[in-house]
Structure formats: structure tokens, C-alpha cells
Amino acid sequence: MHVNLLIVDDHMPIIEGYKSILSFNKSGYIINATAANCLESAYKILTDPNRKTQFDAVLVDFTLPEYLEKGLKTGEDLIPVVRHYSPQSKVVMLTSHSETILLYRILNESKPEGLLVKSDFTSEEFLVAFDILMSGENYYTSTVLRCKKEMVIGNKIFDHYNRQIIYLLSQGVKTKNIQEELHLSKSAIDKRKSMIKDLLGIDKGSDEDILREARKQGLI
């Protein structure tokens, strides 16, 4: 059985490595891989009206060169493009990130069929994951599964905006830029920071206190 893949990664040796590993699959799949080394290239492949290849799966790295003309900043932003132009494709996101908040967001908002943290898996597990995905089931590595539990604190789950605020703070983004990124007013950001402190069990404190407690609780 032929399996058509689109593999998106900005390092060609990694793409070749994935292709090599998958060639050893035990299910008899014949792998036909198309490579894209940036978001722009992947976008153009997916949206090409003359494209004849129907991709069974799209493997995309989280960290990729931006394609701001189309509003694509990370591999996660490519997922809606895949859903629209190649709806039959399974989406597998691979990332070096292990921050609980980021993984939780990808899992629950972008809903890829596969979410693999690179430090979690060996070549053997990669093959197992591929077989499971091709059989129609989802696959998440151990860090992803653990993060779902860690996002529940005091029986409360951080919503989208609170998760984004913590993540952006952890990336060194200032409040003014967080406002622009999330399209929220300063007062709305301040209220949400107060809510985050309550969820983290902080009476009073600064952004650094939020980050310190979030790190302590394994969220970032």
C-alpha cells in the first residue's frame, strides 16, 4: 500500500531521517514523501490547484520559518490550512517543546491526530506511532498525555486566554505586546493575571511570581 506524506521541517537531514525510519515499517507501506522546508513552501504545496497528490498524512514541525504574508508563525498555524485544502490528511505535529501549557493548547485547540514530543520517542516508537495513526487511531507521546493531567489545578482548568498569557510571559513578551497578540485591553489582561494567581495559589505577586509558580507546578 502506498502512503503519501508531506513532511514539513526546516532541516533536510531530519526529513531524510524520518523517511529512512518509516521505510522500515512492518506493515508493508510504501512511503512516498514530499518535503517542504518552510511554512511558505508547505502552504504553496497544499494550496496548489494543480496538486495531484492526495496526502494521507502531514508531518509538521512546530518551529519553522514564519510566512507572515499568510499569517503563519508556527507549524501549528499550518493545521487549518491542511484541514481546508487536504481534509483527508492526518496531521502529526512534532515538537521539541515540552511546556505543558503549549502542548495542552495544541492538543485541545488544533486537535492533531498525532502530537509527538521529540525527546519522548525512539525510532522504534516512531514506527509504532505511524502504524497506529495509519490504522485510524490518534497517537500522543508520554509528555503530551501527562500534560493533560497537569493542566488541572484545584479541579479548575485554565482557559485559552489564561494559558496564552502564561505562555507569552514565559517567552518574555511584555504586557503591551500581549494585549496586541490576544486583542485584549490592559484591564482585561490585569484581571486575567489576577485570576491566574488565584488558580496558582498566589495571594499577591508580579509576573515573575506567576512564572515561578507555573514552573514549580510543571506548566512551563
Side-chain angles (χ1 to χ4, degrees), residues 21 116-129 141:
I21 293 170
L116 284 67
V117 175
K118 294 178 182 178
S119 60
D120 280 349
F121 64 88
T122 61
S123 57
E124 289 81 7
E125 184 175 353
F126 188 56
L127 283 172
V128 170
T141 57

Side-chain angles (χ1 to χ4, degrees), residues 86-101:
S86 188
Q88 76 285 347
S89 301
K90 300 178 186 300
V91 177
V92 183
M93 171 145 287
L94 302 108
T95 179
S96 297
H97 288 273
S98 59
E99 301 95 332
T100 296
I101 284 179

